[in-house]
Amino acid sequence: MAGASKAAVVDSRANLPFVYRQYSPEQLREVLHKMYLIRRFEEGAEECYTRGLIHGTMHLSIGQEASAMGICMPLAADDQITSTHRGHGHCIAKGAEVSRMFAEFFGKTTGYCKGRGGSMHIADVAKGNLGANGIVAGGIPIAVGAALSSKMMKTGKVVVSFFGDGANNEGAFHEALNMAAIWKLPVIFVCENNGYGMSTSTARSTAVKNIAERAAAYSMPGVIVNGNIFSEVAEASFKAVERARAGEGPTLIESKTYRHRGHSKSDRNRYRTKEEIEDWMANRDPITLFETELRDFGFIDDQGIQAIRDAVAKEIADGIEFAKASPAPEIATLQNYVYTEQA
Amino acid sequence: MDAALRELSYAQAIQEAMAIAMDMDERVFLMGEDIGVYGGAFQVTGDLVERYGTDRVIDTPISELGGAGVAVGAAVTGMRPIFEFQFSDFATLGMEQIVNQAAKMRFMLGGEVSVPVVMRFPAGSGTGAAAQHSQSLEAWLGHVPGLKVIQPATPHDAKGMLLAAIADPDPVMIFEHKLLYKMKGHVPEGHYTVPIGKAEIRREGRDLTIVATSIMVQKALDAAAALEGEGIDIEVVDLRTIRPIDGQTVIDSVKKTSRLLCVYEAVKTLGIGAEVSAMVAESEAFDYLDAPIVRLGGAETPIPYNPDLEKATVPQVPDIIAAARDLVKGVR
Ligand SMILES: Cc1ncc(C[n+]2csc(CCOP(=O)(O)OP(=O)(O)O)c2C)c(N)n1
Ligand SMILES: [Mg+2]
């Protein structure tokens, strides 16, 4: 980025949305970089799957990048998250390397789960990502437990639990929110409401209009944000993190968003219209929205955007090469990691 | 096509059974996640919602415990629900209602009620879905008095056993191996039942009895065919029901062959193989045994994602061939 206009940018920030006042231009350009990285990672993974290089299935979060990035923006490096089956974005937002993520998809020993977990169990424990989850709502009580550790061990860590709209109808969701509230734990519940749990719309699955309304039942703030607008998400997350760190207890954030792709690789999209999908893609794409804002506010120019895209393309290509070149696990190691190895 | 030779896939056979049951009995209805317009995660319910409407093909929220309980409650009060768990792994979320309620209600109430609920569980590994979407948990439920637990291995049995389950006054749990859904086979038209609690001899032989369940039946048959050339003559018993288990068919077969190999996908220890082995050891067939009983089951590990590790976790045809050959040749 050309540094010439930086002073002007900073001076004119006062009237801009939250993130433009809170974070430096470098940090915000890095957000755009990460949003592209998430998008291209998933496109790359999808292509590898289509070409038969990856088996199983995967759940793509394309269209939800601002939500993952916005929530993770105010988190410190040692804060923790629990994620979902649609967790690639969360993983990258919390700091994972795409090379090791690709390696996991290719089932290699260099992958984050050493080839044992695949897409649905991607994790990066060193960076505070306690893992995606194959069980809807499975991570929510675990996040509450991590927050309990934080409180008992006085580590000051805040824990974020990501989950989808569908998860709000599992018992685990309700039990977990209640415990977090009665014990005032430093945890933030983030419902990424993309309108559907697989084929079932929230209107058909959920008795309240907004998932955030569930918060009232557990005496915690319930906040609704436009999940496709990075600044809105980051602002809500920032406030919830402050509240959690101050010992005031949990917050439920409902981040309203949309997934562009099908639920998984076997979805025929029979429960929603093409027009609906195209409308979200054309008019509310979170990367387009953020990029446009950044440019309009003078934080980046076309050259800067192109530089980010080129850098991301290279990271993705390198990541796939790394994955392909990495070793597969030996069959003899089949029973590794079932129990903790004793010295 | 000649009606006698009509072929359907395993998934189609189940769908046809559900349609026939709904045609025959107003009380039969379906519940589950994404079984309506989506057609079910494995396209088993398919277009049934278009034919029977959303009152009889009900998409539930993602609420396995509540959903299973609602099915139990409806069954107790006069309806005939068929509840689909999207993956058998999610039985773990419904366990309370299955084990504490459905299985025991009739008993606890001194016979005042019956619980005619059917629950369907897509099970097993081989799809690259990793540790939480690939398990074989049938023995867990097989351990619970009050439940009936079946594992049809062919399209013919899938239809006939499901129709028997729907007619059954007690809770019946059906484990359907996901890799069987595409398997084609002869399926008669119209209503018929295949009895619950009866094993089937799929192949007669003199040298060795292989007792197999679900997808392992076909693998055992493939192994038997391969060993024919070596002059090894294998009998394959498809257990079909694990509770109530058909001990007599197994015992009679072992008395004839004098050797027993149990093959199943679930984790080897504390499973179906242990039960079948003990049953034989406790019976008059024990005196007929010429060799130790052998079990071939899943490795003592969760199902891994890596495809080669995943395959190595469960018995494959070459493993069955090797174990059968060793047994007959007296290597062990
Ligand atoms: C306990 C459980 N039930 C069902 C499923 C199957 N399943 C996986 S994702 C999904 C939909 C989840 O919807 P939502 O929570 O809204 O997340 P999204 O997929 O929209 O991100 C379902 C039904 C599961 N994995 N776990
Ligand atoms: Mg959703």
Side-chain angles (χ1 to χ4, degrees):
Chain A
M1 258 311 282
S5 60
K6 196 175 161 197
V9 164
V10 174
D11 285 346
S12 62
R13 280 184 185 198
N15 296 323
L16 296 185
F18 170 78
V19 291
Y20 302 97
R21 289 177 271 123
Q22 185 66 30
Y23 299 105
S24 71
E26 289 72 26
Q27 282 176 302
L28 293 173
R29 286 191 291 271
E30 179 57 17
V31 170
L32 184 66
H33 173 214
K34 284 275 189 72
M35 281 168 76
Y36 268 114
L37 196 60
I38 296 171
R39 174 80 49 105
R40 299 286 181 258
F41 172 81
E42 293 200 318
E43 287 169 351
E46 186 176 39
E47 198 198 320
C48 291
Y49 178 88
T50 308
R51 288 168 53 201
L53 301 173
I54 295 176
H55 87 147
T57 189
M58 62 181 71
H59 307 83
L60 302 176
S61 69
I62 292 176
Q64 305 186 181
E65 295 89 347
S67 186
M69 285 306 301
I71 294 294
C72 290
M73 192 69 193
L75 295 183
D78 65 348
D79 287 336
Q80 292 169 321
I81 67 169
T82 65
S83 172
T84 70
H85 59 283
R86 203 173 303 288
H88 312 145
H90 309 146
C91 199
I92 292 172
K94 196 68 180 68
E97 290 162 29
V98 292
S99 54
R100 291 191 61 196
M101 291 177 70
F102 275 124
E104 187 56 36
F105 283 47
F106 278 75
K108 300 298 183 69
T109 55
T110 52
Y112 274 111
C113 314
K114 304 191 179 67
R116 271 67 177 180
S119 157
M120 224 177 341
H121 303 291
I122 198 95
D124 181 4
V125 178
K127 293 270 172 61
N129 179 359
L130 300 178
N133 213 303
I135 301 299
V136 168
I140 308 177
I142 293 172
V144 174
L148 181 63
S149 283
S150 167
K151 189 175 176 184
M152 295 178 104
M153 297 164 74
K154 299 191 174 50
T155 58
K157 288 182 194 177
V158 167
V159 187
V160 166
S161 180
F162 287 101
F163 52 91
D165 46 284
N168 101 94
N169 295 311
E170 288 281 16
F173 165 86
H174 294 271
E175 297 179 24
L177 263 70
N178 186 54
M179 283 186 274
I182 59 175
W183 297 327
K184 280 204 184 319
L185 296 178
V187 55
I188 301 164
F189 301 102
V190 178
C191 177
E192 297 189 308
N193 182 351
N194 56 15
Y196 301 87
M198 212 157 150
S199 69
T200 309
S201 66
T202 51
R204 293 203 299 132
S205 71
T206 302
V208 288
K209 190 158 179 297
N210 301 298
I211 313 292
E213 292 168 38
R214 301 279 201 211
Y218 303 105
S219 301
M220 69 179 76
V223 185
I224 298 175
V225 294
N226 182 332
N228 285 18
I229 299 183
F230 169 72
S231 185
E232 266 199 42
V233 183
E235 184 170 8
S237 181
F238 187 87
K239 286 183 188 152
V241 170
E242 277 195 322
R243 179 180 144 82
R245 280 217 219 280
E248 290 163 24
T251 301
L252 170 59
I253 298 174
E254 176 179 5
S255 174
K256 291 199 192 272
T257 182
Y258 197 80
R259 64 168 153 75
H260 294 177
R261 296 294 200 270
H263 166 72
S264 67
K265 301 315 293 177
S266 60
D267 189 343
R268 296 172 299 164
N269 274 317
R270 282 172 35 162
Y271 50 88
R272 55 181 192 174
T273 62
K274 232 171 121 191
E275 290 70 36
E276 180 183 295
I277 302 170
E278 279 164 5
D279 176 43
W280 278 88
M281 288 174 68
N283 302 316
R284 266 156 288 171
D285 183 277
I287 299 183
T288 309
L289 291 178
F290 183 57
E291 186 174 283
T292 305
E293 264 188 10
L294 274 183
R295 189 172 25 210
D296 289 354
F297 296 157
F299 284 71
I300 201 166
D301 56 18
D302 286 345
Q303 240 182 315
I305 292 169
Q306 195 52 49
I308 285 177
R309 291 182 187 164
D310 292 345
V312 166
K314 182 165 168 15
E315 275 177 84
I316 296 300
D318 290 351
I320 292 174
E321 277 320 304
F322 171 80
K324 283 184 180 164
S326 289
E330 306 278 341
I331 300 293
T333 65
L334 183 61
Q335 301 200 359
N336 284 14
Y337 317 120
V338 180
Y339 297 100
T340 305
E341 296 72 27
Q342 307 278 346
Chain B
M1 190 195 268
D2 186 341
L5 297 174
R6 188 186 70 135
E7 291 211 330
L8 291 183
S9 73
Y10 190 99
Q12 288 167 329
I14 294 168
Q15 184 185 120
E16 187 169 275
M18 294 192 289
I20 289 171
M22 285 199 282
D23 287 338
M24 285 173 52
D25 187 341
E26 295 259 280
R27 300 170 302 171
V28 175
F29 70 98
L30 316 181
M31 274 174 71
E33 290 161 15
D34 307 288
I35 65 167
V37 61
Y38 199 92
F42 301 98
Q43 295 304 311
V44 176
T45 44
D47 67 353
L48 288 178
V49 71
E50 279 147 47
R51 291 154 62 192
Y52 295 92
T54 50
D55 286 347
R56 294 184 82 189
V57 181
I58 303 173
D59 274 335
T60 68
I62 308 176
S63 305
E64 290 80 11
L65 174 60
V70 169
V72 170
V76 170
T77 50
M79 298 299 287
R80 292 275 175 164
I82 303 174
F83 186 78
E84 175 179 303
F85 280 85
Q86 198 165 84
F87 285 75
S88 71
D89 310 70
F90 312 153
T92 53
L93 286 92
M95 219 55 172
E96 194 287 304
Q97 286 292 328
I98 299 169
V99 175
N100 293 322
Q101 312 297 341
K104 299 174 175 58
M105 207 157 169
R106 177 172 175 79
F107 177 82
M108 295 186 299
L109 273 54
E112 291 295 317
V113 296
S114 288
V115 190
V117 68
V118 173
M119 296 191 186
R120 298 185 32 247
F121 300 91
S125 67
T127 64
Q132 295 174 333
H133 287 71
S134 305
Q135 298 169 86
S136 298
L137 301 177
E138 56 277 357
W140 287 25
L141 298 186
H143 191 65
V144 182
L147 300 179
K148 297 182 180 178
V149 183
I150 63 179
Q151 291 184 280
T154 66
H156 173 277
D157 282 5
K159 178 178 171 183
M161 295 188 88
L162 176 52
L163 284 167
I166 296 165
D168 199 288
D170 293 315
V172 181
M173 312 286 122
I174 308 183
F175 285 81
E176 304 160 359
H177 200 293
K178 282 164 281 185
L179 296 187
L180 289 177
Y181 281 137
K182 293 210 164 89
M183 174 199 211
K184 291 216 163 193
H186 168 54
V187 177
E189 314 233 13
H191 186 274
Y192 68 94
T193 59
V194 171
I196 293 170
K198 196 82 201 72
E200 173 83 354
I201 296 174
R202 294 280 172 210
R203 182 187 205 278
E204 297 205 21
R206 284 170 292 106
D207 298 331
L208 166 69
T209 298
I210 298 182
V211 174
T213 56
S214 188
I215 195 167
M216 292 299 158
V217 173
Q218 189 53 50
K219 290 188 181 177
L221 288 169
D222 291 349
L227 286 170
E228 214 173 60
E230 297 179 25
I232 297 176
D233 188 18
I234 294 176
E235 178 143 310
V236 176
V237 178
D238 173 1
L239 204 53
R240 298 204 291 200
T241 302
I242 63 165
R243 173 175 284 273
I245 205 160
D246 177 2
Q248 201 55 52
T249 299
V250 175
I251 289 164
D252 290 345
S253 174
V254 173
K255 279 163 75 176
K256 185 172 78 172
T257 64
S258 301
R259 292 182 187 88
L260 174 61
L261 172 64
C262 304
V263 188
Y264 49 109
E265 176 166 327
V267 171
K268 178 177 158 185
T269 53
L270 292 159
I272 292 165
E275 185 55 40
V276 170
S277 309
M279 218 169 53
V280 166
E282 288 173 343
S283 78
E284 75 266 21
F286 180 73
D287 291 331
Y288 292 75
L289 285 174
D290 284 343
I293 297 168
V294 174
R295 290 175 293 162
L296 259 192
E300 308 294 319
T301 162
I303 304 290
Y305 164 72
N306 174 286
D308 295 325
L309 290 185
E310 184 184 22
K311 275 192 209 92
T313 306
V314 303
Q316 305 294 345
V317 175
D319 304 319
I320 303 174
I321 290 174
R325 186 191 286 129
D326 285 356
L327 242 176
V328 172
K329 301 228 162 119
V331 174
R332 33 189 309 165

